[in-house]
Amino acid sequence: EIVLTQSPATLSLSPGERATLSCRASQSVSNYLAWYQQKPGQAPRLLMYDASNRATGIPARFSGSGSGADFTLTISSLEPEDFAVYYCQQRGKWPLTFGGGTKVEIK
Amino acid sequence: QVQLQESGPRLLKPSETLSLICTVSDDSISNYYWSWIRRPAGKGLEWIGRIFSSGSPNYNPSLMSRVSMSMDTSKKQLSLKLSSVTAADTAMYYCARGTKGVDNYFDYWGQGTLVTVSS
């Protein structure tokens, strides 16, 4: 199965700063990668799909890039509600797999 | 918008069978793929499998020997069964809807139900 490695495990930033999250796949998944946000006690929320497409209702400060095995989620200017855990997920090969998550915490 | 609600026993003993139900709020159950996903404490998400109203379910090979999924469209319910559970199956379990047209992402999720396996 494809292993997705997210880094860093924790990102400590202040509101207004730029966040850059990485997701690396153990082999190419083309552009078949999504990002999710999860807050404590809530279900995950789809942010991006197929690497660079924002899901419905997702603010423009979220952007995704990458293809093959290296992907990035960027939050251009952190809002207070953006502090959460972020997961990547690939659909390039069965079984579907997720990364271990990056926690974006308030510095 | 569609709502999903997981239900079922929260505490199991080793070797028992986990049985969960996911109730879907509208008639879209027949038109989408539906998945079960879990998150063990302190770990990332793990896809368990998916089901559609027609055809056979698809399971994660790591769980295939123990997992079974079904769907009752008249009740708008999905079912997950996982046999011979161990402590490693302790996790938050979610049901989720596959995105339309690109089936293998997830756009709606239930709130999840925590299942603990302990003797």
Side-chain angles (χ1 to χ4, degrees):
Chain A
E1 72 176 40
I2 292 180
V3 176
L4 297 179
T5 302
Q6 292 187 242
S7 61
T10 304
L11 197 52
S12 298
L13 294 168
S14 300
E17 289 193 297
R18 183 183 188 90
T20 304
L21 288 66
S22 174
C23 178
R24 178 163 291 180
S26 57
Q27 57 184 283
S28 175
V29 296
S30 186
N31 68 326
Y32 299 142
L33 190 105
W35 292 92
Y36 299 84
Q37 175 194 68
Q38 187 173 31
K39 299 178 184 178
Q42 296 186 18
R45 177 172 71 144
L46 178 65
L47 298 176
M48 312 291 303
Y49 65 93
D50 286 350
S52 60
N53 298 288
R54 274 189 298 276
T56 302
I58 301 305
R61 65 180 181 273
F62 291 91
S63 64
S65 63
S67 66
D70 285 295
F71 300 88
T72 300
L73 174 70
T74 301
I75 311 171
S76 59
S77 178
L78 282 164
E79 296 288 338
E81 61 267 28
D82 298 337
F83 292 92
V85 178
Y86 293 82
Y87 295 97
C88 56
Q89 177 238 323
Q90 67 81 23
R91 68 174 185 94
K93 289 186 170 60
W94 292 99
L96 309 177
T97 53
F98 292 84
T102 290
K103 181 180 182 180
V104 179
E105 65 175 23
I106 299 176
K107 186 175 182 180
Chain B
Q1 61 185 24
V2 65
Q3 295 183 337
L4 291 70
Q5 180 66 58
E6 302 90 347
S7 60
R10 308 288 182 92
L11 181 61
L12 296 172
K13 290 181 170 29
S15 80
E16 291 184 334
T17 295
L18 177 156
S19 293
L20 295 177
I21 295 289
C22 173
T23 302
V24 180
S25 64
D26 66 17
D27 292 329
S28 67
I29 190 170
S30 298
N31 302 322
Y32 289 84
Y33 278 96
W34 302 87
S35 282
W36 288 94
I37 296 161
R38 68 181 183 178
R39 181 172 58 82
K43 296 186 178 181
L45 296 161
E46 180 181 30
W47 177 76
I48 299 170
R50 71 172 191 172
I51 188 168
F52 193 68
S53 55
S54 61
S56 300
N58 305 116
Y59 300 134
N60 191 321
S62 68
L63 297 168
M64 186 179 295
S65 63
R66 298 193 292 131
V67 70
S68 174
M69 294 182 185
S70 62
M71 174 189 290
D72 186 332
T73 55
S74 65
K75 294 182 178 179
K76 302 177 191 176
Q77 289 183 338
L78 313 165
S79 171
L80 170 69
K81 293 187 185 302
L82 184 65
S83 64
S84 305
V85 297
T86 69
D89 296 310
T90 294
M92 184 73 81
Y93 285 77
Y94 300 94
C95 56
R97 191 181 81 172
T99 46
K100 193 68 169 178
V102 180
D103 303 317
N104 295 322
Y105 299 132
F106 311 105
D107 56 0
Y108 287 95
W109 298 61
Q111 287 300 303
T113 188
L114 179 62
V115 176
T116 302
V117 180
S118 174
S119 56

